[in-house]
Amino acid sequence: MRLFLDDVEDVHALLDEHCASVSIHAAHAVADTVDDLRGATRAELRELKLVSQSPDIVVQLGRGSVIQTSDGRAGSWELAARVDVLLKPYTFNRDPMPLLALGAAVFVVGMEQLVQWQYGPAGIVTFLLLAMGIKTWLPCRQSRGGA
């Protein structure tokens, strides 16, 4: 997750507006404002937490965002959801895309060999156009490939 201090300030302002107190924890240091983080090192910013009280909400920012609330009231859940909406564009989960791409490539090469053995060069061209159309999700390429 890559956030700038302005983004952290937005989350801090939202929590500060609705909570009795908000503190910022960067590694072992505690700050009251986002401006106090300007001199922090990268290592300290990797372990960034915003802790609010009344309602109790903890927002952990690091490789991903984790939002926790121990307060059972609806208002605290709603506030946690609003923080989540603020952070959603910056959340990059590690997805299995490289593994899926490798699996798709192995499948395509295997099908290509099968088609080449069964239908010859015309089958290969048709299969490649179809596979290229499916990969890019362009209907015009899919229809050309299916012909």
Side-chain angles (χ1 to χ4, degrees):
M1 168 178 244
R2 183 175 174 125
L3 285 174
F4 295 98
L5 289 180
D6 292 340
D7 304 318
V8 176
E9 194 168 338
D10 291 343
V11 174
H12 184 269
L14 179 64
L15 289 174
D16 198 31
E17 181 182 329
H18 297 284
C19 301
S21 69
V22 180
S23 60
I24 303 169
H25 300 259
H28 301 291
V30 179
D32 293 324
T33 65
V34 178
D35 289 332
D36 296 339
L37 297 175
R38 298 209 187 276
T41 65
R42 282 183 168 223
E44 291 173 331
L45 293 177
R46 281 192 196 115
E47 301 176 32
L48 192 64
K49 272 199 272 188
L50 284 87
V51 180
S52 72
Q53 293 173 346
S54 188
D56 298 335
I57 295 177
V58 177
V59 180
Q60 295 177 341
L61 305 171
R63 291 197 178 261
S65 64
V66 177
I67 303 164
Q68 299 170 327
T69 181
S70 59
D71 197 341
R73 291 180 289 182
S76 60
W77 288 104
E78 182 181 320
L79 183 57
R82 288 178 62 189
V83 170
D84 186 44
V85 168
L86 268 179
L87 295 175
K88 201 54 98 175
Y90 304 104
T91 305
F92 304 110
N93 293 329
R94 298 199 186 272
D95 59 338
M97 286 305 292
L99 185 60
L100 290 174
L102 178 64
V106 168
F107 175 77
V108 166
V109 169
M111 290 300 295
E112 181 181 353
Q113 292 299 319
L114 179 67
V115 168
Q116 185 177 12
W117 173 71
Q118 186 76 19
Y119 299 105
I124 286 294
V125 170
T126 303
F127 180 75
L128 285 177
L129 285 174
L130 179 63
M132 198 170 59
I134 289 173
K135 185 175 181 179
T136 58
W137 293 102
L138 293 175
C140 62
R141 285 192 182 170
Q142 287 177 358
S143 62
R144 272 191 253 147

